[in-house]
Amino acid sequence: MKNPIYIHLILCALLMGSCGRKPSGPATSYPISFENAKVLDIGCYLSSVHFVQLENQPESAFTDINKVVVNGGNIFLLDKKLEAVFCFDTTGKFRYRIQRVGRGPGEYRELEAFWINSEKQELWLQSFWPSMILVFDLDGHLLRYFPIQWSAEDMVGLGNNLLAGFNASGSNNGIDSLPPGIFLLNPDGTSRGPALVTGDTSIYWSMNYQRHLEEFDGGALLLSQSDTLYKIDRHGHVAADMVMDWGRVKYPEGLRNIRFSSPGNRKALTGNYVYGKDQLVAFGPVRLFRIILNGRLQLAMADLSTGKGAYSDHLASSNARVPLLYPIAKSDQNELVGLYDMDLLLAMKESADSRQPDPGSAGLYQVMDSLVKSALAKDRPVLWFAKIKNEWLTKPY
């Protein structure tokens, strides 16, 4: 289904101006107040943009991408609807598809997460049910699989040979109960102890993409529905990365912990407040993620070096060659990565067909229209890659 926000984002990216002046004053990590903005301009952080059109093969068709990892010349895409991981090279050529859905040895019924073990050059997949890790080489060959004590809504590898998972609802494996929060596993799947509870993980945590863990600085960042963003270091220690102050749109205390099946569910998921967060992308002091506010998708951005936060349903990139949409990943080459899927490309085509002539933006429109035309003709989505400026990767905060 086409989302009207995409058209708003495209038009805004084409027409809006440059980055605002950086706030003065002492830098602070938290708390950070988030304010409504007409536009979020991410062009300040970027130096260049290029595009990769994914090859059209019978086995390469996906439906809805939840996670992207770009590592060592490969692009890996997780599609939770198809319970599959797709691999392309960084020119867009299709390599292979992993989709082992079933009830036999080395098969799964529900796939929730994956990550790359760069040191061993292995692809690790986490099956939610049954609770299991499947390990592949980077050519897609199954090497081994083993059970794990707990499964997770999202899971990543940490830099010190640990696994970190996020359990949102509480679970029981028949022996031990697990409260909501972070839990740690050894690389053989055995538990490192009870969950480290992280605040709100109730009904309103869930969104379409449900990606909450971002590998960062040898460890990971966790974005749950708590208004605290948590940092997990390479040894599994958990601390606050920042605290978010949403002001008048803060989620009401009285609606927290409403169960999904409760009659109050509708009230919990409506209203002029933030009731969903996911798809965290982080670099240096910058944190980018999606929120749902008053039933609409919004984009939130915080700069920990200035202590400022903002959210908007319009995204611009003043320094980029063509407009960008919300990034869904960061590559191993320090690029932001985003996806123009087929619904979005069709929406862009419809927008172009009804566009009023604008001589001042003719060159920009020509580049974008050519990209859309080529992608639709080949019936394949396009990934964009935007290089992050080095100054932002090393900026202290």
Side-chain angles (χ1 to χ4, degrees), residues 162-204:
L162 295 173
L163 308 179
F166 177 55
N167 171 50
S169 57
S171 60
N172 188 292
N173 67 357
I175 303 172
D176 301 312
S177 293
L178 183 70
I182 301 167
F183 64 90
L184 300 174
L185 299 176
N186 294 309
D188 63 358
T190 57
S191 174
R192 289 291 295 259
L196 304 171
V197 178
T198 61
D200 302 314
T201 54
S202 48
I203 167 62
Y204 69 113

Side-chain angles (χ1 to χ4, degrees), residues 96-315:
Y96 58 85
R97 167 180 181 156
I98 298 173
Q99 190 177 29
R100 300 177 63 91
V101 179
R103 298 176 181 268
E107 296 179 334
Y108 52 79
R109 279 165 273 174
E110 188 174 349
L111 188 64
E112 284 292 327
F114 82 98
W115 61 95
I116 303 295
N117 185 324
S118 297
E119 182 179 345
K120 295 185 177 181
Q121 290 292 283
E122 293 176 338
L123 168 63
W124 288 47
L125 275 60
Q126 187 236 180
S127 162
F128 190 85
W129 185 256
S131 300
M132 178 174 60
I133 297 289
L134 299 94
V135 182
F136 297 79
D137 65 23
L138 296 189
D139 291 321
H141 303 122
L142 180 63
L143 302 176
R144 61 190 182 278
Y145 58 92
F146 53 89
I148 56 178
Q149 185 163 357
W150 305 109
S151 54
E153 302 294 340
D154 199 5
M155 184 178 283
V156 295
L158 302 182
N160 202 35
N161 213 22
L162 295 173
L163 308 179
F166 177 55
N167 171 50
S169 57
S171 60
N172 188 292
N173 67 357
I175 303 172
D176 301 312
S177 293
L178 183 70
I182 301 167
F183 64 90
L184 300 174
L185 299 176
N186 294 309
D188 63 358
T190 57
S191 174
R192 289 291 295 259
L196 304 171
V197 178
T198 61
D200 302 314
T201 54
S202 48
I203 167 62
Y204 69 113
W205 73 272
S206 181
M207 285 178 63
N208 290 335
Y209 293 92
Q210 301 176 14
R211 191 179 72 83
H212 300 278
L213 285 164
E214 165 84 342
E215 295 182 17
F216 185 79
D217 195 25
L221 295 174
L222 172 71
L223 179 74
S224 71
Q225 296 323 298
S226 170
D227 287 330
T228 301
L229 180 67
Y230 292 91
K231 186 173 185 177
I232 314 165
D233 72 14
R234 60 188 298 113
H235 303 289
H237 302 142
V238 178
D241 182 64
M242 73 168 176
V243 175
M244 310 169 207
D245 179 3
W246 295 100
R248 291 183 298 177
V249 298
K250 179 181 175 66
Y251 194 83
E253 296 289 340
L255 296 181
R256 299 181 185 223
N257 298 313
I258 293 179
R259 298 180 62 84
F260 186 80
S261 58
S262 167
N265 183 13
R266 179 179 295 275
K267 184 178 180 181
L269 299 182
T270 57
N272 189 32
Y273 39 74
V274 176
Y275 63 82
K277 309 185 191 86
D278 75 355
Q279 291 295 93
L280 175 68
V281 177
F283 58 91
V286 179
R287 310 290 182 260
L288 298 162
F289 52 95
R290 300 174 192 255
I291 63 172
I292 293 290
L293 173 62
N294 199 23
R296 297 185 64 185
L297 179 65
Q298 305 268 322
L299 311 173
M301 178 172 65
D303 181 348
L304 275 62
S305 67
T306 62
K308 300 293 183 180
Y311 59 89
S312 178
D313 59 2
H314 286 165
L315 180 69

Side-chain angles (χ1 to χ4, degrees), residues 52-57 59-62 69 71 73-77 86-96 380-381 383:
V52 174
Q53 185 166 303
L54 301 180
E55 185 179 34
N56 189 352
Q57 294 286 343
E59 287 294 305
S60 69
F62 49 78
V69 171
N71 182 282
N74 291 312
I75 302 169
F76 300 93
L77 310 174
F86 299 81
C87 180
F88 298 80
D89 69 21
T90 48
T91 70
K93 183 177 180 180
F94 177 66
R95 294 197 60 212
Y96 58 85
R380 290 308 295 161
L383 288 171

Side-chain angles (χ1 to χ4, degrees), residues 284-362:
V286 179
R287 310 290 182 260
L288 298 162
F289 52 95
R290 300 174 192 255
I291 63 172
I292 293 290
L293 173 62
N294 199 23
R296 297 185 64 185
L297 179 65
Q298 305 268 322
L299 311 173
M301 178 172 65
D303 181 348
L304 275 62
S305 67
T306 62
K308 300 293 183 180
Y311 59 89
S312 178
D313 59 2
H314 286 165
L315 180 69
S317 180
S318 58
N319 295 346
R321 208 161 39 90
V322 294
L324 304 178
L325 294 181
Y326 182 75
I328 57 176
K330 184 176 91 261
S331 79
D332 61 345
Q333 298 300 309
N334 291 317
E335 302 161 307
L336 296 184
V337 183
L339 175 68
Y340 294 105
D341 62 19
M342 300 312 297
D343 280 349
L344 175 56
L345 289 165
L346 286 169
M348 294 165 72
K349 174 65 167 59
E350 293 175 1
S351 177
D353 290 343
S354 59
R355 181 193 307 142
Q356 297 298 316
D358 182 4
S361 301

